[in-house]
Amino acid sequence: MNVPLPHVRLGAIELRRIAMPLVSPFRTSFGVERDRDILLVRATVDADGTSVDGWGECVALADPTYSPEYVDGAQHVMVHQLLPRLIASTTGRTFDAADVATILSPFHGHPMAKAAIEMAILDAQLRLAERSFAEHLGATATRIPSGVSVGIHDSIDDLLATVQGYVDDGYVRIKLKIEPGSDIEHVAAVRDLIGPDMPLQVDANTAYQRTDGRHLAALDEFQMLLIEQPLPEADILGHARLADEVETPICLDESLVSASGTADAIELGACEIANIKPGRVGGYLEAVKIHDLCVARDVPVWCGGMVETGIGRAANAGLAALPGFTLPGDISASTRFYARDIVTEPIMVIDGHVAVPTAPGLGFDIDHEFLDSVTTSTIAIDL
Ligand code: SMG
Ligand code: MG
């Protein structure tokens, strides 16, 4: 992080929407995803007569169900607010990806839209400087343990068959999506299947209430790594109280939207473990700040996932190689969600691990032919 990157001039910006079917439906407490409608940002930048493209992936879902952002809204705010401001404040000068958050800071919210723009600029700068995301962000690992997130299943038999498949694929940690009615029994059955030693955790995506403390404490006997986001995102006090009632560590996801908010949640006792997602916090650079403050406070962190394509997953793998990422992340193989990825080399899980990309930028090239075949619309932004 300490080595500055060459500053660049903005040459062009293009927004692309792509439609990617999932290999199987993915059900959470807030809904079912069957395909992914994804917004990509392509930033062309110039430095010293060389021009290069960088790519950003916006992790907003189709509907505002995980967080207030959704993909049409993200595209709208980019086109009408964020990009005009970025263009106006960088015309005729060079700038750095680290300036993007400051330039866009007058606009409240929209972290996923902002993160995708910053990511595209950062990728382009790194490709020019021939440095990888991992190297730039401060990575120390060359491969990272791979966890898999398993959707809610109606029947326990189906759930066990799915989990067994992932165990056979070599994943080193299982995360089960849960909701009231699909929790204790499901966890008990999976713990029984995978044995006492395999790391296991659950994610409720805000499906419980403050009064569910005793119910959730029934999960303690299954020796899980953590319970992720049991309560609504704004309920920091509720999570702090739950952390006293339940032995399994409480991990926050949706609640953590900035470095300062994360520091507060930790101080209040609401966040014993942190899920870091660059999109949710406004970008990879803010994500590194959260990593650093968690390390300073002895709070373990792990890298979350938003059903990204290889573009987002590659950058996440670079981030997850930082030393504070002591727990396996939701960085599964491309094939977990997609039959074919839009990067030329799909993300692979080998011996339960994903190799940290080392080539410049994201570390992967875009499969343009396939990308074009899944593109549903393209917008060129006027500079
Ligand atoms: O990308 O592997 C993945 C999915 C990980 O469970 C996952 N993400 O709350 O952590 C979470 C969810 C959010 C997206 S659900 C569509
Ligand atoms: Mg989560």
Side-chain angles (χ1 to χ4, degrees), residues 30 66 149 175 177 201-206 228-229 251-254 275 277 280 302 304-306 330:
F30 60 76
Y66 164 84
S149 177
K175 158 167 146 179
K177 291 291 191 178
Q201 63 193 54
V202 287
D203 185 2
N205 289 107
T206 76
E228 181 179 349
Q229 198 69 41
C251 168
L252 295 183
D253 172 358
E254 285 90 329
N275 167 331
K277 287 180 183 167
R280 197 194 59 224
W302 57 282
M306 289 297 293
D330 283 340

Side-chain angles (χ1 to χ4, degrees), residues 150-151 153-165:
V150 183
H153 285 56
D154 288 335
S155 98
I156 291 187
D157 283 349
D158 288 350
L159 173 66
L160 295 181
T162 301
V163 169
Q164 186 61 54

Side-chain angles (χ1 to χ4, degrees), residues 22-339:
L22 302 189
V23 292
S24 55
F26 182 50
R27 180 169 147 213
T28 64
S29 63
F30 60 76
V32 185
E33 316 296 315
R34 293 192 162 78
D35 41 49
R36 221 37 195 95
D37 174 358
I38 299 175
L39 172 61
L40 301 177
V41 180
R42 187 214 307 235
T44 309
V45 305
D46 308 289
D48 299 328
T50 313
S51 170
V52 67
D53 281 353
W55 290 86
E57 176 168 348
C58 180
V59 299
L61 302 179
D63 299 313
T65 45
Y66 164 84
S67 75
E69 287 183 279
Y70 63 105
V71 66
D72 281 333
Q75 181 172 318
H76 191 279
V77 79
M78 279 188 200
V79 170
H80 296 284
Q81 307 282 346
L82 306 181
L83 293 172
R85 177 137 206 142
L86 180 72
I87 292 161
S89 57
T90 58
T91 299
R93 70 173 182 99
T94 63
F95 71 107
D96 186 50
D99 300 329
V100 173
T102 312
I103 292 168
L104 301 180
S105 65
F107 298 121
H108 289 239
H110 302 284
M112 294 173 177
K114 291 173 177 173
I117 296 171
E118 182 196 86
M119 180 181 175
I121 306 289
L122 184 57
D123 181 39
Q125 277 185 293
L126 288 168
R127 287 179 196 257
L128 275 171
E130 300 194 337
R131 303 182 70 206
S132 67
F133 260 72
E135 194 183 344
H136 182 66
L137 299 179
T140 48
T142 56
R143 58 177 211 153
I144 50 166
S146 178
V148 65
S149 177
V150 183
I152 297 171
H153 285 56
D154 288 335
S155 98
I156 291 187
D157 283 349
D158 288 350
L159 173 66
L160 295 181
T162 301
V163 169
Q164 186 61 54
Y166 292 134
V167 170
D168 295 344
D169 289 341
Y171 289 105
V172 299
R173 183 226 69 193
I174 302 292
K175 158 167 146 179
L176 300 181
K177 291 291 191 178
I178 57 165
E179 64 185 3
S182 301
D183 48 17
I184 318 281
E185 256 189 283
H186 290 232
V187 171
V190 169
R191 177 49 95 201
D192 198 41
L193 176 79
I194 64 181
D197 297 331
M198 175 138 190
L200 177 64
Q201 63 193 54
V202 287
D203 185 2
N205 289 107
T206 76
Y208 293 87
Q209 300 178 3
R210 281 189 183 188
T211 47
D212 287 325
R214 280 188 56 192
H215 177 75
L216 291 169
L219 290 168
D220 285 340
E221 68 170 292
F222 304 110
Q223 298 294 320
M224 293 193 297
L225 289 174
L226 57 93
I227 300 176
E228 181 179 349
Q229 198 69 41
L231 305 180
E233 62 198 64
D235 195 5
I236 301 301
L237 180 62
H239 282 104
R241 288 184 180 157
L242 203 55
D244 286 335
E245 276 185 275
V246 177
E247 264 173 46
T248 311
I250 300 296
C251 168
L252 295 183
D253 172 358
E254 285 90 329
S255 294
L256 305 180
V257 294
S258 66
S260 63
T262 303
D264 291 353
I266 292 170
E267 192 172 326
L268 291 167
C271 178
E272 299 171 286
I273 295 178
N275 167 331
I276 299 183
K277 287 180 183 167
R280 197 194 59 224
V281 304
Y284 285 85
L285 304 178
E286 186 77 5
V288 172
K289 287 183 199 161
I290 296 178
H291 161 271
D292 294 349
L293 76 86
C294 286
V295 168
R297 289 162 178 76
D298 275 332
V299 170
V301 309
W302 57 282
C303 185
M306 289 297 293
V307 194
E308 295 93 344
T309 69
I311 292 181
R313 290 292 220 228
N316 286 350
L319 177 69
L322 269 66
F325 285 81
T326 52
L327 294 170
D330 283 340
I331 303 177
S332 43
S334 297
T335 51
R336 156 71 184 90
F337 289 113
Y338 302 112

